[in-house]
Amino acid sequence: MRKIILLVLIMAIIQSDAFSQIELQKKYTLFNPVPRDKMRDMSTDRPDITENPNSVDAGHFQMETDLFKTSRSKNDGITSVENNYNLANLKLGLTHNTDLQLVVGSYVNSYDKDATGKKFNNTSGFGDLTIRIKHNLWGNDGGKTAFALMPYINLPTSKDNNAVEGGIIFPLSVDIGDGFDFGTQIQVDILKSIQSGYHTGLLQSIVVGKELSKSLETFVESYYNYDFENKKFDLSFNGGMGYSVTKNLKFDAGFNLGLIKNTDKVYFIGFSFRY
C-alpha cells in the first residue's frame, strides 16, 4: 500500500511540474521572449507544400526561404518560366501558440518562350507580399497530433498582379512512430475572378516524412489544387530532403513534379534559420 501511495505522489509531482512548465511558457510574449534553453524544437513550414501546425516560440524570429526556386509549365508549345530568388517567409512569435508571418517575393523573373527558345513577356522585379497568422489549437508542446488555423491575405505588390486575394489553411500533423510523420492540410483560397468578383479554389495535400538520422530527413508528398471557376485541376508529386546543421539552422532541396498536363514542374533549394 505504501508503494502505491508513493507512486501516486511521484506521478502527481511529475504532472504538476509539467503543467507548471506549460503554464509558465504561456506567460511569454513578443515582449517577454521564451528563454533560449526553454525553446521548442524548430518547426518549419518548408520544404513541402503542407504547412506545419507548430508555431514559433514567443519573442523569437524565424526565416524560411527559397534561395532559388524555378517553376515551369508548357501549354500549346509555349513554355512559361518563373524564377524566384530569396522567396522568404519571415516569422515572429507573438504568443505561446501564435506567430505572425510575412512572405516576401524579394526578386521574381518570369517569361514565356516559344519552341525556338525566343523569350517574350519578360518581366522582373519585386514579388507579392503575403501576410499570414498561424494559431496552434493543440500539439504545440508535444503529443501525437498537432493542428492549427492559418488565415492569410495576399497583397498585389508585383507588376503582374493587381488583385487582393486570401484564404485559410488547416494543417494537421500526426506522429506515426519509428521516425515517421504524417501531415495533411486543407486550404480554401478566395481568388480574383477574370471578369469581376471572386471565386473559390481548394488545395489538399498529404505528406509522409522520415527521420533518417539526427540531422537528415526526407519526405514524399502529393497535392491537388482545383479552381472552381476555371474548372482547372492540378496534381503534383513532390519530394525532398532537409539537413540540420544546428538546432537553429537547416538546409533543404526538393522538387514538385506535375502529374497532369500544364501542371508546374518546380525545383528549389533553401534554408531555415531561427534566432
Side-chain angles (χ1 to χ4, degrees):
M1 185 66 180
R2 290 180 179 178
K3 291 182 178 180
I4 295 175
I5 294 174
L6 181 60
L7 180 61
V8 170
L9 287 174
I10 292 173
M11 292 299 296
I13 292 171
I14 293 174
Q15 289 182 353
S16 176
D17 182 65
F19 180 78
S20 298
Q21 289 296 324
I22 293 175
E23 288 301 305
L24 182 62
Q25 277 205 325
K26 288 182 178 178
K27 295 179 181 179
Y28 295 119
T29 66
L30 174 61
F31 303 106
N32 181 30
V34 176
R36 296 190 68 81
D37 61 346
K38 298 184 184 304
M39 293 173 66
R40 300 181 289 256
D41 291 340
M42 183 172 71
S43 298
T44 64
D45 289 322
R46 61 173 301 109
D48 51 13
I49 295 293
T50 308
E51 311 291 0
N52 192 308
N54 298 101
S55 63
V56 176
D57 284 289
H60 290 272
F61 169 79
Q62 189 164 307
M63 176 180 179
E64 304 174 18
T65 183
D66 285 304
L67 290 172
F68 177 70
K69 178 179 181 179
T70 182
S71 305
R72 297 168 179 265
S73 64
K74 192 171 184 179
N75 187 22
D76 295 331
I78 303 298
T79 301
S80 298
V81 180
E82 180 178 285
N83 294 322
N84 276 273
Y85 301 86
N86 191 35
L87 176 57
N89 187 1
L90 310 176
K91 301 182 176 182
L92 187 62
L94 302 181
T95 68
H96 182 71
N97 290 322
T98 305
D99 63 39
L100 175 65
Q101 306 181 8
L102 180 64
V103 182
V104 182
S106 301
Y107 184 78
V108 183
N109 169 237
S110 61
Y111 59 87
D112 298 321
K113 63 179 180 179
D114 59 23
T116 67
K118 183 179 179 180
K119 294 183 180 180
F120 56 98
N121 296 331
N122 196 337
T123 62
S124 298
F126 192 77
D128 288 339
L129 291 177
T130 303
I131 300 172
R132 315 197 308 181
I133 293 177
K134 180 189 292 184
H135 180 68
N136 176 274
L137 294 181
W138 74 76
N140 230 7
D141 299 292
K144 290 293 185 181
T145 65
F147 182 73
L149 305 177
M150 292 182 63
Y152 73 92
I153 183 169
N154 187 71
L155 305 177
T157 53
S158 66
K159 297 178 181 178
D160 300 327
N161 191 9
N162 59 2
V164 176
E165 298 177 323
I168 187 167
I169 306 168
F170 304 92
L172 171 72
S173 67
V174 182
D175 181 356
I176 53 180
D178 294 326
F180 285 94
D181 290 300
F182 171 81
T184 185
Q185 78 175 36
I186 293 176
Q187 176 176 327
V188 180
D189 302 312
I190 307 301
L191 307 172
K192 187 70 173 66
S193 296
I194 297 175
Q195 299 298 327
S196 63
Y198 286 82
H199 66 281
T200 304
L202 180 67
L203 182 150
Q204 186 171 8
S205 67
I206 57 172
V207 60
V208 176
K210 169 63 175 174
E211 187 179 86
L212 302 177
S213 69
K214 187 176 180 180
S215 300
L216 187 64
E217 60 188 20
T218 186
F219 74 90
V220 290
E221 179 184 50
S222 183
Y223 81 94
Y224 75 84
N225 193 15
Y226 185 72
D227 186 314
F228 285 88
E229 179 181 66
N230 301 315
K231 304 295 189 294
K232 186 175 185 294
F233 182 81
D234 294 329
L235 179 64
S236 181
F237 171 76
N238 313 329
M241 304 189 76
Y243 180 78
S244 297
V245 180
T246 70
K247 64 180 181 179
N248 295 314
L249 175 63
K250 182 171 74 172
F251 287 90
D252 60 64
F255 61 86
N256 305 338
L257 296 181
L259 300 179
I260 294 179
K261 183 180 179 181
N262 302 332
T263 300
D264 289 351
K265 291 181 173 59
V266 182
Y267 305 91
F268 60 85
I269 183 170
F271 74 93
S272 300
F273 171 75
R274 180 178 68 169
Y275 179 76

